[in-house]
Amino acid sequence: MSALEIMDPKMDSGIVSKYYSVDEAIENGAAPLPISLDKTRDVQCTIDIMDHILACEATWHRGHSLAQTVFSCIYLLRPDRTSSHALLHSYCRVIRATCKTVVSVVSDTRTHEEEDLFTMAYGLALSGDGDEKCLTLLNAVEETISRQLRACKAQTSKKRVLEDIEPLQPNLDLEEGYCKALLCRLRFRKHFFHVLMCMKRSQGRGLELARKHIASCMSELESVHKSGEFLRSSSSGTCEDGIEDRTTASGREPIGFDPSLNSRLSAPTPPRAIKLLSWEKALEYFVKLLHDLEVICSYSLDPSLEGVLRFVVQFQKSQPDLIARAHLQLLLVQDGKLYGRDPIFTVITKAATLPEATKNHDIQKNEYIAQLGQLVINLLKILCTNAAWQRRKLGKILQDWRVIYVQLELEFRKQFGEVASHSNDEHLCVKIFQHILIWVEEQTYWIASRFLILGFELELFSPNEYCMVYWYIYGVLVKLAEKAHLRMTLSSGTAKRKGKKKKDSLKDVAIESRIPPSIMFLQCHICLAEGLTLMLAALRNELNVLQSPFLYNTEHERFIQHFELLQKACIPDQVSYTSFKESTTYASFPTLVMYNYFKDAQRLAKEIKSSFHNDPDRLAELRRLEQVAEHNCVALNVICRIAKAFESLRCKNCNIDVSSISFLKN
């Protein structure tokens, strides 16, 4: 989930340390300046330091401590020492500024609970005098190396230009390659720092500029990767064995690093050496990170909460790392507003399909409405965390949403009683309360469905538990469809007060042309969930498939274990293990063939495709749903035919698409 084991280097530190202090390391020549009197060697070592820091930074982003990774570089711990080495000095300055910016974003968004080590500085000074001028220094060095590159490309008639500009190193045959290798690394650092600063701007104002810098970063990373071949070929004494695990492009060990150095400087820094990502893996990490950041920057800042939730869920499918998730939350929630511009009450009224005029109503000052707004903010923050942390938190806030619904309902009855006895202004308050109450219920069931789906993504369910999980998802989706449909009909003024349940009316939702496409989309999921539930139940009842015994607890205890948080919040109402057994005990293949829910799902998916022609994500989802339905239709037919011919099928494995639930995502 997010647990750390004993002997994990993040927690169980060990005591081995080569040096007692930074000063001792420097005195013993661990970080010499100049790095080498041989200028060619000096350039090679500088590039190695840059590459190793990149590997350290990627490893830090993956959850290891800053002290063991980036700040294992002695040159970073004493930045003033590098002032005589302009190239290394500018690079170290921008690294420190980048680390400070990243820590600030992750700390502000509090997405780091699952990686607590990430923001711990262990007493190390992230800020230094002159770090704010890092880009100025970097630009100056970049310009110098650019002139050197232009000079070494000059034609024979212009050799005097080369004589006027001192080269990086004396071997002119290697000059161009080293200049290019340095430039792409410096430019990547510059553009990456710009990306982070642009994405911190309020209300998404810097997203467009950030996209341009991301494109430049991707281009420079490609150049960095291409430079690896040149650096390996020009490097003497490089060991080819295990080159894929090396942290530098050249394959050499870098100068100026000691991962155990900080162990004696600032307890409780873990001094045990950790396994860093290789240079190749670090490049892959940053490419993935930049792609995720580009997705965020390309987001249209949809003002509707439904659109926001869909975007976040879709974004999480790519399994973004901590940095990308932190920037997503920073974009979504700023100063208690959506994108830092839309008040949460306005977002709620829009989500509850209330008229535009209600967004400034004084009812937003109500205590429980304010609490509801905070719940919405918390939900957005939770959805930006990793899957394990997200599921734990979603399970806990379900009861909060249930409680706020009860409080709003009691407040509604306390203030207004019967609707007919109030003035027009009070009648507007009644309308707002009614819409919000229905929306709160709908949102509660959406959270419950997300909670259940994450269980599949985290592989928390065993195959012999799938039947009960599908059954529970079916119940949640039915209630979600009911509440969403009720909200839509109420907003159009066609809702009627009826005492009967709406579950039966939703059974034939597909044949009602007035049903919105979004409800039919949900109905497609419902058909698949119900079909999978009954097919798995029939396999268990008739063929003893997926009926392996529970060694340590009963099926009832497993039911309670998986759905306890939902049961405490009464989601859905009157659902229990007894009702699950009653629903599935008599499931059989003849009945399942007669009411083929998979064919219904296929038909629904085809009918509503045209309604989502401008929504590529929904169209892709519909195509996946069609495939799942088609595969299970085939599986059902095959099982039924074989079951009739061979009674001994219970001893054989059936190839059934039981993982299809992974596609049932809103």
Side-chain angles (χ1 to χ4, degrees), residues 90 97 124 130 133 147 188 212 252 273 300 309 314 353 358 400 403 425 439 455 493 566 581 625 648 653:
S90 63
L124 300 170
K133 300 178 181 179
R147 289 201 304 269
F188 167 74
K212 296 179 181 178
R252 292 187 301 263
S300 61
L309 297 180
Q314 185 67 28
T353 58
T358 58
D400 295 335
V403 168
D425 186 57
W439 175 77
L566 297 169
K581 295 301 290 183
L625 291 174
S648 61
N653 293 326

Side-chain angles (χ1 to χ4, degrees), residues 27-184:
E27 289 174 5
N28 282 271
L33 278 173
I35 301 174
S36 175
L37 296 177
D38 181 347
K39 289 190 175 182
T40 301
R41 173 70 175 163
D42 187 90
V43 172
Q44 291 173 340
C45 291
T46 302
I47 294 175
D48 290 341
I49 291 170
M50 293 178 174
D51 288 344
H52 191 78
I53 288 178
L54 186 76
C56 288
E57 188 176 10
T59 307
W60 172 50
H61 287 186
R62 289 291 181 88
H64 285 281
S65 72
L66 189 63
Q68 279 186 292
T69 53
V70 179
F71 276 82
S72 65
C73 178
I74 301 171
Y75 295 110
L76 281 173
L77 295 171
R78 292 288 188 271
D80 293 338
R81 288 185 65 245
T82 59
S83 57
S84 59
H85 196 297
L87 179 57
L88 185 60
H89 185 65
S90 63
Y91 195 84
C92 288
R93 289 290 184 184
V94 77
I95 287 291
R96 290 168 63 93
T98 300
C99 290
K100 180 183 177 182
T101 303
V102 170
V103 168
S104 173
V105 171
V106 175
S107 299
D108 291 345
T109 55
R110 300 189 65 185
T111 53
H112 65 284
E113 283 87 350
E114 69 276 16
E115 292 111 346
D116 288 330
L117 292 169
F118 188 89
T119 56
M120 294 176 67
Y122 302 100
L124 300 170
L126 289 181
S127 301
D129 295 337
D131 283 355
E132 67 280 355
K133 300 178 181 179
C134 62
L135 288 181
T136 302
L137 296 174
L138 199 69
N139 287 331
V141 172
E142 180 191 352
E143 178 59 31
T144 299
I145 299 177
S146 295
R147 289 201 304 269
Q148 290 168 329
L149 177 61
R150 289 193 297 269
C152 70
K153 286 182 175 181
Q155 298 177 0
T156 307
S157 59
K158 298 181 180 179
K159 278 189 176 180
R160 63 181 182 277
V161 177
L162 185 61
E163 296 171 0
D164 295 337
I165 299 176
E166 184 180 356
L168 283 171
Q169 43 81 49
N171 190 338
L172 299 183
D173 293 333
L174 301 176
E175 181 74 2
E176 182 177 348
Y178 283 129
C179 285
K180 288 182 177 179
L182 285 170
L183 279 175
C184 60

Side-chain angles (χ1 to χ4, degrees), residues 69 72 145-146 154 251 311 424 447-449 586 589 615:
T69 53
S72 65
I145 299 177
S146 295
F311 172 76
N424 289 336
I447 295 171
S449 67
Y586 301 103
F589 288 113
D615 191 339

